[in-house]
Amino acid sequence: MAIEQPATRPGNPRFSSGPCAKPPAFSLDKLSDAPLGRSHRAAVGKAKLKAAIEGTREVLGIPADYKIGIVPASDTGAVEMAMWNLLGERKVEMLAWESFGAGWVTDAVKQLKLDAEIKEAPYGEIVDLATVDTDNDVVFTWNGTTSGARVPNGDWIKSDRQGLTICDATSAAFAQRLPWDKLDVTTFSWQKVLGGEAAHGMIILSPRAVERLENYTPAWPLPKIFRLTKGGKLIDGIFEGATINTPSMLAVEDYLLALDWARSVGGMEGLRERAYANLAAVQSFVAENSWLAFLVDDPAIRSNTSVCLKFTDDRITDGAAFAKAIVKRLDAEGVAYDIGAYRDAPAGLRIWCGGTVETTDVAALMPWIKWAFEAEIEAQTEAA
């Protein structure tokens, strides 16, 4: 028997966790002011890059004495730039609870061969932050994009710490409050919460991080694309719009548009409220349907951007195959694109709920998930 489909469809079926949905106000014609075919070193290019840096500072509330730079290779490049430049001066604690955090562990242990203490937690959990000694350097992911588990706050980081905190905040920035006084290096990419284009990353340095850069030389060589200092001094130009390599001015224009939209919805707090409204729509649905659960049980560490779900019905015999079938059905109907769990994560769904996604679209998606679930259970039963 055919399962009746919901009457309402999401206006925008794009729920990918990266690249993420563009801001609702986006249209290609709004990028017409991009200085295409011009040097990024020309006055117009420098002005656009400077506006991107200062707009980031304004919307995120980054302190005036912190340095903000646009760097290549998205968030990955920014994190690795920080690790290659800053680590090795003292012991480092590597915290990991999903695939990207695990990747930073691999860099630290196998590539840089550091004196590292590794603390790991399974998907859906985070490590015991009370055990972390921030007199060591600490590398961690604020929000696990592939697990939906996040750090609840920065209370575990000492104000008088001796080490540096290096925070991958790519799916947290613009959606969750970041305690800048507790973070020495913070990174993110444009393609996440503001729905920017890929390939560009941001690195934010505290005065403590700058001091380490200017007074410590790592034992390994640094490729040009990673270098933040010259002659023992910070290369200030990087943090004023003189990028290490050639940026896409079209992508810069797109980011500036996203920042303008962010201001229009109330800035950082408005973006945060939009993300939490989206999460609330999912939470209400999960509470009403016993066959679905959050991968993260504890609401205190549950992401409001990368929301990860798992199927719990006893009739499901192959969880991975079942989840893939659900994703395929929703994609075929044009109601949800790219919502399968990350390849290394437990089987299930991953729904992006960042501020560029409309709550009405999240709410409209939920009945479709129920439809796909019931249709797949029926198909599985008939096949048996």
Side-chain angles (χ1 to χ4, degrees):
M1 181 179 77
I3 307 297
E4 185 176 354
Q5 292 185 341
T8 303
R9 293 170 174 266
N12 184 355
R14 294 167 179 82
F15 297 99
S16 164
S17 291
C20 301
K22 307 296 290 183
F26 175 82
S27 65
L28 282 171
D29 64 317
K30 292 183 178 181
L31 305 182
S32 60
D33 196 43
L36 305 184
R38 294 292 308 275
S39 170
H40 60 292
R41 296 185 178 89
V44 63
K46 288 181 179 179
K48 295 281 188 180
L49 291 162
K50 182 69 170 177
I53 288 170
E54 292 310 318
T56 301
R57 187 185 307 278
E58 173 197 346
V59 175
L60 289 179
I62 299 170
D65 59 349
Y66 278 50
K67 301 286 188 177
I68 304 172
I70 299 169
V71 299
S74 195
D75 179 62
T76 300
V79 174
E80 293 191 332
M81 178 181 289
M83 291 177 64
W84 258 252
N85 274 277
L86 293 164
L87 295 184
E89 191 264 355
R90 65 181 58 225
K91 180 180 176 180
V92 60
E93 296 190 26
M94 304 293 301
L95 315 184
W97 42 83
E98 49 96 49
S99 58
F100 288 102
W104 311 143
V105 169
T106 297
D107 284 353
V109 175
K110 294 188 177 180
Q111 306 301 325
L112 297 177
K113 304 185 187 306
L114 295 170
D115 175 18
E117 181 177 353
I118 301 166
K119 296 181 177 179
E120 299 177 293
Y123 276 84
E125 301 176 23
I126 64 172
V127 303
D128 182 357
L129 298 173
T131 68
V132 178
D133 181 359
T134 52
D135 284 336
N136 298 320
D137 291 337
V138 181
V139 179
F140 69 103
T141 302
W142 190 278
N143 185 95
T145 308
T146 65
S147 71
R150 69 178 184 89
V151 172
N153 53 56
D155 294 350
W156 54 282
I157 301 171
K158 296 192 299 186
S159 296
D160 60 349
R161 62 192 176 279
Q162 297 301 305
L164 297 180
T165 52
I166 298 177
C167 174
D168 172 0
T170 198
S171 55
F174 299 106
Q176 298 163 19
R177 294 188 183 116
L178 298 173
W180 296 109
D181 61 319
K182 299 295 184 74
L183 303 177
D184 295 303
V185 182
T186 309
T187 68
F188 67 88
S189 66
W190 294 354
Q191 64 164 312
K192 291 294 184 182
V193 182
L194 286 190
E197 291 303 294
H200 297 77
M202 302 292 279
I203 188 166
I204 302 163
L205 305 176
S206 74
R208 298 180 72 251
V210 173
E211 182 182 14
R212 170 79 66 86
L213 281 168
E214 294 185 336
N215 290 280
Y216 165 69
T217 302
W220 43 81
L222 289 173
K224 178 182 178 181
I225 208 164
F226 276 6
R227 293 174 200 158
L228 293 172
T229 60
K230 184 177 182 180
K233 293 294 181 182
L234 190 73
I235 303 173
D236 282 322
I238 294 172
F239 304 94
E240 296 173 357
T243 54
I244 296 173
N245 72 333
T246 306
S248 163
M249 296 311 299
L250 189 62
V252 171
E253 193 71 22
D254 179 70
Y255 183 56
L256 291 173
L257 177 65
L259 287 169
D260 283 343
W261 173 80
R263 295 181 184 100
S264 76
V265 298
M268 177 60 225
E269 287 307 303
L271 291 167
R272 181 175 174 272
E273 289 171 7
R274 287 174 65 91
Y276 272 113
N278 292 337
L279 173 60
V282 181
Q283 288 180 151
S284 295
F285 180 77
V286 171
E288 296 169 357
N289 294 277
S290 60
W291 44 268
L292 193 64
F294 286 96
L295 185 59
V296 178
D297 290 331
D298 182 357
I301 62 168
R302 188 178 294 160
S303 173
N304 65 348
T305 56
S306 50
V307 177
C308 297
L309 305 171
K310 59 184 178 181
F311 295 101
T312 58
D313 195 283
D314 291 339
R315 293 170 291 179
I316 299 172
T317 55
D318 184 333
F322 187 87
K324 287 180 180 179
I326 296 293
V327 170
K328 185 176 180 180
R329 285 180 183 272
L330 296 172
D331 185 281
E333 291 295 331
V335 296
Y337 300 143
D338 313 320
I339 66 167
Y342 190 73
R343 60 180 179 267
D344 295 336
L349 306 178
R350 182 173 57 150
I351 302 168
W352 184 257
C353 287
T356 60
V357 175
E358 300 281 21
T359 302
T360 52
D361 288 337
V362 178
L365 171 61
M366 296 299 105
W368 281 96
I369 293 176
K370 185 173 183 179
W371 166 81
F373 168 79
E374 291 176 346
E376 195 57 35
I377 287 289
E378 182 179 83
Q380 181 179 286
T381 302
E382 291 175 352

